[in-house]
Amino acid sequence: MTPSADLLVAQNVGFYLIAAVMVLGALRVVTTNNVVHAALWLVVVLSGAAAQFVLLAAEFVALTQVLVYVGAVMVLFLFGVMLTRAKIGAERELNNKGWFLGIPVSVLLLVTLVIALNDGFGSERMPVDVAPMDTAVVSDQIFGPYLLPFWALSFVLLAAVIGAIVLARRD
Amino acid sequence: MLLNQFLFLSAILFCIGVYGVIARKNAVLVLMSIELILNSVNINLLAFAMRNGNADGHTFALYVIAVAAAEVGVGLAMVLLMYRNRRSIALDELSEMRG
Amino acid sequence: MVVAASETTEVVLESGWFLENAWLIPVVPAVAFVLIIFFGKRMPRKGAEFGIASMVGALVLSAMAGMQWIGRVNAVSEYTHVPPVVRTWTWWQNGGVHFGIGQHVDGLSVVVLLVVAFISTLVQIYSVEYLHGDRRYTHFFGALTLFSAGMLNMVVAENMIQLILGWEIMGLCSFLLIGHWWEDSANSRAALKAFFTTRTGDVGLLAGTSLLFFAANDWTQKTLGVSGFSIRGLSAWALSGEGSTTAITVGAIALFIACIGKSGQFPLHTWLPDAMAGPTPVSSLLHSSTMVVAGVFLVARLYPVFFEGMDIYGSGLNLIVLIGGVTIIIAAALAFVQDDIKKVLAYSTVSQLGYMMMGLGAGAWLPAVFHIFTHAFFKACLFLGAGSISHSASHHSFDMKKDMGGLRKHMPVTFATWVVSTLALMGVFPFSGFFSKDEIIDNVGHAGYTAFMWVGLTGAFMTAAYMTRATYLTFFGEPRGAAAGVHHGDHHGDHHGDAGHGPRESGPLITIPLVILATLAIGSGLLNAVPFGHSWENFKKWVEPRAEVVSATGIASVVGGPGESRLAAGGEEGKEGKHSSPCGSEKPEGGVCPAPYVKHAEFKWSKAAVSLVLVFAGMIASWFLCVQLYGRRAGPLVGLTSRNGAARAGHRFLVNKYYLDHVYENVIVRTLAGPVARAAYWFNQRVIDAAVNGVGTTAKRIAGWVYKNIDQRLVDGAVNASGAGAQGAGRALQPVQSGKVSQYGALLFGAAAVGGLVLVIINT
């Protein structure tokens, strides 16, 4: 490897391995006949996404992804599965009658996206030797120029909390 | 690394998520598919953040994570309500919107 | 007297471990709170041991810090500024704003720390017996401990944010404690009322803090190197004469609104008497040393801001004095018509807080703070005495007219401590209340607020009268109801006791705190016994910050320990009354002022005699009235309120608490909600409807013309054709509207994909 070559073999190998696992996991999420398995495959996809975030020099986001998604959201999902008394084992009829409609739509969408991306970014390369993003910079962004969306987000969270309580309480 | 390899991964995950939203009947599985879609968006945001060398994408990825958490909370509450009212969370039985 | 900065002299100040680490004091009960919550139920005494141990620990730490502070003050001359012990750690840092968490310990903090830790300790010991067997015993101790932690944190707070933290913890815990027996809807309503009323005031705290921050931050960063939240920075900024007068005034008013809510000042005092719904130890703690003192403490803590903002020596009237004076009188008047012994005490607290506020508003900083100190002891004693009566004698009733009377024979200890504390509250000479209350009245008059001096004297008269009435009803006369051994049916099921076999004295866990508090109610006044001469004014020497111009760089150091540089050697020439400082009266040159210069009235027995005579007159008049009213079956005064129209109206006005609750709940809500609704209706009817009608009429005319000329002849055919087409298309598309969400999803994404593809193809 010459220093100038920015092929970055190790990172590429890592990327493709993780990407393959992610795609496989995502496919299992949408095809498995077992709701609990689907949730566990989703964990694989989300953890893979966290790993990709590390490759993208976004350590803080990766940590947040693990904490919030893999930690909290998945627990919520499992609770949702249990509270709605889904069978723990395999189950038929998890799909709609018109499930085959999804295949042409998503393939069409993928084709569109691939054409557009190929056209737009062709063989553009990522910058090399990127230092991980400083968390302080992210925090300065959040509490600086993007303060307004942050406020809006706070309201969304508040509304979601109240809404979830109102919807789920038994009275 | 190419920029496009991340974008393609994101596109593939997005389309799988779309397929899940359309094909699945169980409401919890639909919510999971939506999580796939949101995650693919995050990968996109961070890929462009790296390309542009600023923290905007990070900021919005964090916002997306927060919104997704809120969405799952409300979504599952709705699923619970649905289950309580009709003892089933099959979405194809919900046809009150029929024209 | 200001010397050039080059001539600064180094004064080495004493400090010590306990003073440097005073921040530990709130941490101890906070840790205990966590322990109680997690392990309390498994402990042999259900968590009470953690609470009591932590409060004793906090008391020891405060006492040691107090000793070291006294040593620090004694080491320098009487007119030398003693810098507070300030330590700070960065808590938050973002975009150029950073503020810390830490401690700001000076005489005021030390006093309040001591009082809070001491009263909390006694209250917790007392609660062990009082709440014995309660179903939420552990939670009670948890909340009580966190409550003390909140107050202690507020007292040592280095900046406004930390202060707000403690302030809000107290608000939360008071809600939990007042509503401790929430199964009773009256209790949970009282808790909500307390919470919402204080929250109303807290808006002022947030607004005032942020306003002062934005006004002061630049100055404090430049001059002192601290943020605009820091208490030291704000004080110096307010006295620098460089800040905007409007900002200081508006900020001071906003902060004072918070104090009105928290300290139960008129017109937000209505929550305080209702807060009696909580267990009696809570009332005692709430009303003597913590919650309600928080507002007064805030004014005393940020005194320079209020001093400048309200222009305290510049005019004969300001908001603080006015609110304080009004509160004294109206609360004292309300105390006359209460039958509930705790409500009498509650209104008396409101009235005494009015004294403190009035004192602070008139520049009598030291007497007001001293009144916090003495009032805490005798008011805690009175509340715990009331609790003792209800616990052991009156069968958990607090009604003086129905269930008390003649108790002095059965409860000698409670009676003796009650009388001592009552005399202290009235301000009779050798008791502590005299030394603080009389000083407030005297200094208010001295500062030129003559009218308010008379308000204070009237208040003293009324205090003596209503406390005599309460004492008479409780301890003298014939025993009534439960006090006479009558067992009544509405036994409070939540807190059972073994009372009910006639009145008797309470156990030692209750009487010992009473005796300790009563002793302090006598003795604590001697700490600042102005009448005995200058050498007795120890409290003033230790607590009052000295107004002296010090160099900015000197007090900007993070730890205000040794090595202060000062501009003036300071006040060697000063004799009592002669010394004056530029602080507060003019712009400090070459340095900053830590505190404003306040005047002190000279004590004269002739002035004190007036108030003493009034107090005795109140006692005697009230005693005879009580004997007439309550001691006899028939007499000229018995039943006056039902016979005389004017008396009845006055009585009803007081019983209904000036209809303030009525005003809040009906009038304000209605006046706000009614006109808004009516205006909206009017707008809807007149403006929108008129516009719509106008447009409608015009459109109708045009339509008529079009109909005749174009529609009938030309368009009709076309329309009929297109209608048929639309109908057909609708029929054809109806299956799409299946109501199936997944099909909608498929259509949405499919259409988006097709649209995207079209755009991509066009663009390439």
Side-chain angles (χ1 to χ4, degrees):
Chain A
M1 266 306 126
T2 55
S4 62
D6 50 8
L7 279 169
L8 296 170
V9 171
Q11 289 191 24
N12 268 328
V13 170
F15 170 83
Y16 284 112
L17 271 180
I18 299 166
V21 173
M22 282 174 78
V23 172
L24 175 75
L27 282 173
R28 292 301 291 154
V29 169
V30 296
T31 52
T32 178
N33 279 331
N34 185 327
V35 184
V36 178
H37 285 183
L40 296 177
W41 278 115
L42 188 60
V43 173
V44 172
V45 181
L46 297 177
S47 313
Q52 301 286 19
F53 293 167
V54 175
L55 279 183
L56 286 168
E59 288 171 349
F60 182 67
V61 184
L63 274 177
T64 315
Q65 167 94 356
V66 172
L67 286 176
V68 176
Y69 263 118
V70 184
V73 171
M74 289 318 302
V75 173
L76 259 185
F77 269 121
L78 290 175
F79 266 113
V81 171
M82 281 185 262
L83 286 173
T84 52
R85 311 239 178 98
K87 280 206 315 211
I88 301 296
E91 201 174 347
R92 285 179 184 284
E93 300 190 353
L94 282 174
N95 283 356
N96 281 315
K97 284 194 198 77
W99 63 271
F100 47 84
L101 255 178
I103 295 173
V105 169
S106 51
V107 168
L108 184 62
L109 204 56
L110 185 62
V111 169
T112 313
L113 284 173
V114 166
I115 295 174
L117 289 176
N118 211 18
D119 192 47
F121 302 103
S123 54
E124 192 175 325
R125 288 184 182 282
M126 280 286 193
V128 284
D129 280 344
V130 179
M133 183 59 72
D134 198 353
T135 309
V137 177
V138 180
S139 96
D140 280 348
Q141 289 260 22
I142 291 178
F143 297 105
Y146 294 114
L147 189 59
L148 196 67
F150 181 73
W151 279 346
L153 187 66
S154 315
F155 278 107
V156 167
L157 280 178
L158 178 68
V161 167
I162 295 171
I165 291 170
V166 168
L167 283 173
R169 73 187 283 227
R170 218 178 263 275
D171 47 7
Chain B
M1 282 190 293
L2 294 173
L3 172 61
N4 254 349
Q5 66 194 51
F6 289 99
L7 302 186
F8 280 150
L9 172 66
S10 155
I12 293 169
L13 287 179
F14 185 87
C15 293
I16 294 175
V18 167
Y19 168 78
V21 168
I22 295 170
R24 289 304 207 173
K25 186 166 78 173
N26 186 307
V28 176
L29 286 172
V30 172
L31 280 178
M32 288 185 196
S33 309
I34 293 175
E35 292 307 311
L36 282 181
I37 296 179
L38 288 173
N39 249 282
S40 73
V41 171
N42 267 354
I43 293 177
N44 243 359
L45 282 172
L46 290 171
F48 279 109
M50 193 181 187
R51 171 189 180 241
N52 295 342
N54 61 23
D56 290 4
H58 296 241
T59 312
F60 279 95
L62 288 172
Y63 288 171
V64 167
I65 290 177
V67 170
E71 171 253 328
V72 171
V74 175
L76 283 176
M78 284 165 67
V79 170
L80 276 187
L81 187 71
M82 206 163 100
Y83 177 75
R84 207 178 294 147
N85 286 338
R86 13 172 111 236
R87 297 277 128 195
S88 149
I89 53 169
L91 286 178
D92 60 350
E93 292 174 16
L94 290 177
S95 52
E96 274 85 2
M97 285 198 285
R98 191 142 75 95
Chain C
M1 89 174 248
V2 176
V3 192
S6 56
E7 294 175 35
T8 54
T9 51
E10 293 278 314
V11 179
V12 177
L13 284 160
E14 285 183 28
S15 186
W17 191 87
F18 290 99
L19 214 48
E20 296 286 339
N21 291 292
W23 55 272
L24 279 173
I25 297 170
V27 171
V28 172
V31 170
F33 163 73
V34 176
L35 289 177
I36 291 173
I37 290 299
F38 285 110
F39 307 111
K41 289 209 167 153
R42 288 180 225 150
M43 298 302 287
R45 299 206 63 109
K46 304 279 176 216
E49 59 269 76
F50 286 131
I52 294 173
S54 73
M55 291 328 300
V56 171
L59 179 60
V60 170
L61 287 175
S62 316
M64 295 308 289
M67 302 282 282
Q68 290 180 347
W69 176 260
I70 290 172
R72 185 178 167 91
V73 174
N74 281 343
V76 296
S77 92
E78 197 170 336
Y79 299 108
T80 310
H81 169 65
V82 184
V85 182
V86 179
R87 297 183 78 183
T88 175
W89 293 270
T90 300
W91 177 13
W92 175 269
Q93 182 171 19
N94 187 273
V97 180
H98 69 99
F99 54 85
I101 189 160
Q103 61 169 42
H104 176 107
V105 179
D106 58 3
L108 175 65
S109 330
V110 167
V111 168
V112 183
L113 279 176
L114 252 179
V115 170
V116 172
F118 183 72
I119 305 275
S120 303
T121 311
L122 290 186
V123 164
Q124 293 222 349
I125 293 172
Y126 178 98
S127 308
V128 170
E129 175 157 349
Y130 192 85
L131 278 123
H132 182 73
D134 190 85
R135 82 177 60 157
R136 282 187 291 278
Y137 186 81
T138 305
H139 286 172
F140 178 81
F141 273 93
L144 209 57
T145 310
L146 184 62
F147 191 65
S148 303
M151 181 71 188
L152 293 170
N153 176 44
M154 192 193 123
V155 174
V156 297
E158 188 266 339
N159 56 49
M160 288 305 288
I161 303 294
Q162 195 184 352
L163 190 140
I164 291 173
L165 178 75
W167 180 283
E168 299 294 359
I169 289 176
M170 268 194 286
L172 172 70
C173 289
S174 68
F175 171 76
L176 293 176
L177 289 169
I178 293 169
H180 182 67
W181 291 315
W182 46 261
E183 286 88 350
D184 207 343
S185 74
N187 292 347
S188 70
R189 250 204 319 274
L192 280 175
K193 185 172 175 184
F195 194 63
F196 286 135
T197 314
T198 48
R199 295 299 307 170
T200 310
D202 290 355
V203 175
L205 182 62
L206 297 180
T209 303
S210 23
L211 193 144
L212 289 175
F213 170 77
F214 286 115
N217 192 35
D218 286 345
W219 189 89
T220 54
Q221 291 283 9
K222 186 168 52 99
T223 317
L224 297 173
V226 295
S227 84
F229 287 120
S230 107
I231 283 162
R232 207 174 36 159
L234 280 176
S235 306
W237 169 74
L239 289 170
S240 70
E242 289 167 32
S244 138
T245 323
T246 326
I248 301 181
T249 307
V250 176
I253 290 172
L255 290 181
F256 186 61
I257 289 171
C259 300
I260 290 176
K262 206 72 160 184
S263 284
Q265 300 292 294
F266 180 83
L268 292 180
H269 65 277
T270 53
W271 66 271
L272 242 172
D274 286 26
M276 291 298 120
T280 307
V282 174
S283 318
S284 169
L285 188 60
L286 216 76
H287 283 218
S288 60
S289 60
T290 49
M291 183 88 169
V292 295
V293 171
V296 181
F297 176 81
L298 177 59
V299 178
R301 169 51 95 207
L302 277 181
Y303 200 57
V305 173
F306 292 95
F307 186 87
E308 290 293 316
M310 302 285 183
D311 196 13
I312 275 172
Y313 282 141
S315 61
L317 183 70
N318 65 53
L319 187 64
I320 303 181
V321 158
L322 182 68
I323 296 284
V326 170
T327 308
I328 293 174
I329 297 298
I330 65 142
L334 286 172
F336 279 105
V337 296
Q338 303 299 325
D339 293 338
D340 185 325
I341 186 168
K342 275 169 79 182
K343 291 211 166 155
V344 174
L345 297 178
Y347 281 115
S348 129
T349 304
V350 174
S351 174
Q352 297 302 310
L353 290 165
Y355 273 106
M356 297 174 200
M357 281 297 183
M358 189 173 84
L360 287 172
W365 189 90
L366 185 78
V369 173
F370 192 49
H371 200 52
I372 295 180
F373 181 69
T374 56
H375 174 259
F377 298 125
F378 57 72
K379 188 49 65 67
C381 184
L382 287 172
F383 269 111
L384 295 184
S388 163
I389 293 165
S390 100
H391 188 69
S392 307
S394 68
H395 212 107
H396 302 299
S397 159
F398 289 104
D399 196 317
M400 295 189 293
K401 280 191 179 162
K402 279 200 195 119
D403 289 320
M404 294 182 193
L407 289 174
R408 69 182 186 283
K409 291 169 211 137
H410 301 291
M411 314 184 78
V413 180
T414 309
F415 174 63
T417 55
W418 174 280
V419 167
V420 166
S421 309
T422 305
L423 291 175
L425 172 59
M426 290 172 182
V428 176
F429 163 58
F431 298 96
S432 59
F434 170 77
F435 296 107
S436 52
K437 188 149 89 177
D438 205 58
E439 273 295 286
I440 291 182
I441 297 172
D442 197 6
N443 276 297
V444 167
H446 181 69
Y449 295 85
T450 320
F452 287 95
M453 184 180 81
W454 287 103
V455 166
L457 288 171
T458 318
F461 173 82
M462 292 168 86
T463 310
Y466 68 70
M467 283 313 293
T468 308
R469 170 180 175 272
T471 310
Y472 178 85
L473 280 173
T474 313
F475 291 103
F476 293 90
E478 288 297 307
R480 294 171 298 272
V486 178
H487 202 103
H488 47 147
D490 54 352
H491 186 275
H492 209 302
D494 289 334
H495 42 126
H496 70 89
D498 45 357
H501 309 289
R504 51 175 176 71
E505 186 53 88
S506 306
L509 279 182
I510 289 184
T511 49
I512 289 171
L514 284 177
V515 171
I516 296 174
L517 285 169
T519 315
L520 283 166
I522 304 175
S524 62
L526 297 176
L527 271 181
N528 201 38
V530 186
F532 301 153
H534 188 54
S535 58
W536 286 78
E537 296 184 44
N538 286 317
F539 197 82
K540 177 182 170 197
K541 188 173 157 200
W542 294 331
V543 174
E544 191 172 71
R546 288 83 190 265
E548 189 195 23
V549 182
V550 292
S551 98
T553 48
I555 73 166
S557 66
V558 176
V559 178
E564 288 286 314
S565 60
R566 45 192 62 256
L567 295 171
E572 301 306 335
E573 84 285 11
K575 293 211 171 56
E576 175 70 346
K578 292 273 171 58
H579 174 78
S580 73
S581 147
C583 289
S585 50
E586 57 199 71
K587 199 170 161 178
E589 280 172 39
V592 295
C593 276
Y597 175 70
V598 290
K599 297 182 241 180
H600 288 279
E602 219 170 312
F603 182 83
K604 284 207 188 76
W605 278 106
S606 56
K607 289 191 278 185
V610 178
S611 76
L612 283 176
V613 164
L614 275 170
V615 166
F616 282 116
M619 276 164 70
I620 292 164
S622 170
W623 180 266
F624 279 108
L625 265 174
C626 287
V627 171
Q628 286 289 324
L629 270 171
Y630 309 120
R632 300 183 186 173
R633 298 245 169 263
L637 289 172
V638 176
L640 179 72
T641 49
S642 49
R643 277 182 284 126
N644 181 313
R648 185 168 62 231
H651 186 255
R652 270 192 56 193
F653 189 57
L654 288 177
V655 167
N656 285 306
K657 303 171 225 161
Y658 311 105
Y659 294 94
L660 268 180
D661 281 337
H662 177 78
V663 166
Y664 291 154
E665 276 158 31
N666 296 340
V667 178
I668 290 183
V669 171
R670 216 173 274 166
T671 44
L672 283 181
V676 170
R678 247 177 285 134
Y681 180 73
W682 181 89
F683 188 78
N684 194 10
Q685 289 293 308
R686 300 289 164 83
V687 180
I688 299 181
D689 270 16
V692 169
N693 285 344
V695 171
T697 334
T698 322
K700 204 166 136 194
R701 287 208 196 107
I702 297 170
W705 183 82
V706 170
Y707 177 75
K708 262 186 226 145
N709 297 304
I710 302 174
D711 192 81
Q712 285 292 315
R713 295 169 201 169
L714 204 145
V715 185
D716 219 23
V719 167
N720 281 344
S722 70
Q727 203 178 6
R731 285 236 177 84
L733 281 174
Q734 201 185 14
V736 175
Q737 297 293 329
S738 61
K740 298 254 162 59
V741 184
S742 57
Q743 286 181 22
Y744 291 172
L747 282 172
L748 171 70
F749 285 113
V754 172
L757 200 57
V758 168
L759 282 179
V760 168
I761 290 166
I762 289 172
N763 276 328
T764 46

